Amino acid sequence: MTEKNPDKTRKKLLESAFFEIYRVGFQAANIDRILKSAGVTKGALYHHFSGKKELGYAVVDEVIGHWIADKWSASLKAEGNAIEVLKGTVTAAARMLRGHDENGEVGHCAEMAEVGDVTLGCPLMNLAQEMSPVDEGFRLRIERIFDSWHAALAEVLERGVQDGTLRSNVDPRKTARFLIAMYEGAIGIAKNSKSVEAIYESLEMMGEFIDTLAKPAEKAA
Amino acid sequence: MTEKNPDKTRKKLLESAFFEIYRVGFQAANIDRILKSAGVTKGALYHHFSGKKELGYAVVDEVIGHWIADKWSASLKAEGNAIEVLKGTVTAAARMLRGHDENGEVGHCAEMAEVGDVTLGCPLMNLAQEMSPVDEGFRLRIERIFDSWHAALAEVLERGVQDGTLRSNVDPRKTARFLIAMYEGAIGIAKNSKSVEAIYESLEMMGEFIDTLAKPAEKAA
DNA sequence: CCCTATACATACCAACTAGTATGTATGTTA
DNA sequence: TAACATACATACTAGTTGGTATGTATAGGG
């Protein structure tokens, strides 16, 4: 009925599926809830996607992948001092995180959660933790996203080492992975304690760690 | 039939439930699989536990809680230099992590996974990520465990600051949380990439970070 | 030895859920 | 405008799953 707009319905399905998965995970994600929230019917879903898993894959590739690319890879492409670029992305991350609207509903998720929600954590990491041991298809798609993020980070670090901003013994690849681990770990811990403050403080410490990567000032000759 | 041993069956149930939850998460955990793996029947389960959720709670409290306490709080109670104690726990963690037996079965979990399995990550963190937004009961129980871990870490740090081993501007609580975040993040990232090496390298970097907490050597007067 | 509560075993159910079969309306092409 | 493929809508199904009703055997107290 009404109108017939395949691109739009597909997009709505992806978005609703993303939020559903974001909230309860893929395995517990409910098709009917997704449909209700998207405002379309089962026929539409199974016309666009061959099944729940395919829908999940598409969410990873098209929603989460693009989102990470925008949020990170983009801001990492900034020119200038490696330390500043790195710390810039961290503070940018901090800015986009917010707590709940205190509506007292303990134990329930906000109806219209957004991506920066502290109590829901990082969509990519959530899915990675849940699905990587269970389904290789998810794992590989998620890995690709992490890899691109890692590559962008490593490039900045490599540049910093080359131009003498960073200590020469900084290993770009290891450090990049460690930075991602720190960030995701901080989000994960804060998620369980429901504390935005916890993230801020951890990101602050992450900034201090980044400072330790800098080449120390030259001693007087 | 056979024998009647409530303590033993309860323990078997808890252990089987733990591994099932460890592998696929709580929501996807299958009661019948747990029963089969425990070698008991449904009657036994529902005699000991009022339901799936109660079983999950018991797993958190009795299995995961004790496990974390043993692995961390214990080794953190060692006497001596704070730096050494901290780095000791990190290397202890590294030691207990191992990869899969390379049996080629990609995408499937080992039948009898053990707790140190890289591809399965940290049981506590897994559950925290999955259940903390979904069920407040889980969240609180998990939080208690993290808190005790955090307290043990903070105590070591506090002691280090007091006795001059660590820089005086080290904030024990923030740093403790950050260390947990680093560790859990490292495990989580390695889990998705299925790489034991990734953990080793991240734990190595974690050691370097711990070194930066030390009070710098005194300058010549 | 008896008797009762505990500790299990078995068969079954009700609810949910991904997926399908089928139908219909809309847009497009000839 | 006829014909056809795309894009949706609806009703239904088959399978799974947590939970229960009911039965039975064992252990321990009197």
Side-chain angles (χ1 to χ4, degrees):
Chain A
M1 254 185 236
T2 57
E3 60 190 326
K4 211 166 168 180
N5 196 333
D7 289 358
K8 193 177 167 191
T9 42
R10 189 189 144 88
K11 213 167 192 174
K12 276 196 289 186
L13 280 168
L14 281 175
E15 201 155 316
S16 294
F18 166 76
F19 280 119
E20 172 75 5
I21 293 171
Y22 185 33
R23 274 197 292 267
V24 298
F26 175 77
Q27 301 182 105
N30 185 303
I31 295 281
D32 288 325
R33 271 202 302 264
I34 293 173
L35 293 174
K36 190 179 167 190
S37 137
V40 302
T41 60
K42 213 163 255 191
L45 169 63
Y46 284 91
H47 172 73
H48 286 280
F49 305 94
S50 64
K52 187 187 179 185
K53 190 186 278 186
E54 275 297 323
L55 176 62
Y57 286 170
V59 166
V60 177
D61 290 335
E62 302 178 37
V63 183
I64 302 183
H66 291 168
W67 173 70
I68 290 276
D70 290 351
K71 284 287 166 191
W72 290 98
S73 311
S75 73
L76 282 170
K77 288 209 176 75
E79 298 290 327
N81 185 303
I83 297 276
E84 295 310 318
V85 172
L86 292 173
K87 294 181 79 170
T89 64
V90 172
T91 56
R95 240 196 310 276
M96 76 174 225
L97 294 162
R98 351 163 308 277
H100 266 306
D101 303 325
E102 301 288 352
N103 52 13
E105 292 247 346
V106 183
H108 290 77
C109 303
E111 290 134 26
M112 211 28 185
E114 282 180 30
V115 174
D117 197 322
V118 194
T119 65
L120 292 180
C122 169
L124 180 62
M125 191 66 166
N126 289 356
L127 220 49
Q129 296 309 304
E130 180 193 3
M131 296 308 293
S132 76
V134 170
D135 183 275
E136 186 70 3
F138 272 102
R139 208 206 105 235
L140 289 172
R141 282 155 218 267
I142 291 163
E143 193 172 37
R144 278 188 49 197
I145 301 179
F146 272 124
D147 280 349
S148 71
W149 182 7
H150 178 267
L153 262 175
E155 197 186 311
V156 172
L157 290 162
E158 174 69 34
R159 189 156 48 87
V161 171
Q162 295 293 339
D163 66 20
T165 310
L166 305 183
R167 298 195 322 265
S168 58
N169 62 343
V170 166
D171 183 317
R173 292 179 51 80
K174 288 187 197 178
T175 309
R177 189 163 47 205
F178 193 52
L179 284 171
I180 294 178
M182 288 167 82
Y183 176 77
E184 293 292 0
I187 303 257
I189 295 298
K191 171 179 172 180
N192 194 73
S193 60
K194 285 184 164 182
S195 157
V196 209
E197 271 308 306
I199 296 193
Y200 290 153
E201 293 179 4
S202 287
L203 291 185
E204 184 189 325
M205 296 213 63
M206 204 169 150
E208 292 177 22
F209 171 79
I210 292 174
D211 283 327
T212 71
L213 299 175
K215 174 175 265 179
E218 303 269 348
K219 294 285 169 79
Chain B
M1 257 187 233
T2 59
E3 60 190 323
K4 211 166 167 177
N5 196 333
D7 290 359
K8 193 178 167 190
T9 42
R10 189 190 144 88
K11 213 166 192 175
K12 276 197 289 186
L13 280 169
L14 280 176
E15 201 155 315
S16 295
F18 167 75
F19 280 119
E20 171 75 5
I21 293 172
Y22 185 31
R23 274 199 292 267
V24 298
F26 175 77
Q27 301 182 104
N30 184 303
I31 296 280
D32 288 324
R33 271 201 302 265
I34 293 173
L35 294 173
K36 191 179 168 189
S37 138
V40 302
T41 59
K42 210 163 256 192
L45 169 63
Y46 282 90
H47 173 71
H48 287 280
F49 304 94
S50 64
K52 187 187 180 186
K53 190 186 279 187
E54 274 298 322
L55 175 62
Y57 287 170
V59 165
V60 177
D61 290 334
E62 301 178 37
V63 182
I64 302 183
H66 291 167
W67 173 71
I68 290 274
D70 290 352
K71 286 287 167 191
W72 289 99
S73 309
S75 74
L76 283 169
K77 288 211 176 74
E79 297 292 325
N81 185 303
I83 297 276
E84 295 309 318
V85 172
L86 292 173
K87 293 181 81 170
T89 64
V90 171
T91 58
R95 240 197 309 279
M96 76 174 225
L97 294 162
R98 352 163 306 280
H100 266 306
D101 303 325
E102 299 289 352
N103 52 13
E105 292 245 348
V106 183
H108 290 78
C109 303
E111 289 134 25
M112 210 30 185
E114 283 180 30
V115 174
D117 197 322
V118 194
T119 65
L120 292 181
C122 169
L124 180 61
M125 192 64 167
N126 289 355
L127 219 49
Q129 295 310 305
E130 179 192 5
M131 297 307 293
S132 75
V134 170
D135 182 274
E136 185 72 2
F138 272 101
R139 210 205 104 236
L140 288 172
R141 281 155 218 268
I142 291 164
E143 192 171 38
R144 278 187 51 195
I145 301 179
F146 272 123
D147 280 349
S148 72
W149 183 6
H150 179 267
L153 263 175
E155 197 186 313
V156 173
L157 290 162
E158 174 68 35
R159 189 156 48 87
V161 171
Q162 295 294 338
D163 66 19
T165 311
L166 305 183
R167 299 196 320 265
S168 59
N169 61 343
V170 166
D171 183 317
R173 293 180 49 80
K174 288 187 195 177
T175 308
R177 190 164 47 204
F178 192 52
L179 285 170
I180 294 178
M182 288 167 83
Y183 176 77
E184 294 291 0
I187 303 253
I189 295 297
K191 171 178 172 182
N192 194 74
S193 61
K194 286 184 163 182
S195 159
V196 208
E197 273 307 307
I199 296 193
Y200 291 152
E201 293 179 3
S202 286
L203 291 185
E204 185 190 325
M205 296 214 62
M206 205 171 150
E208 293 176 21
F209 172 78
I210 292 174
D211 283 329
T212 70
L213 299 175
K215 176 175 266 181
E218 302 269 349
K219 295 282 169 82

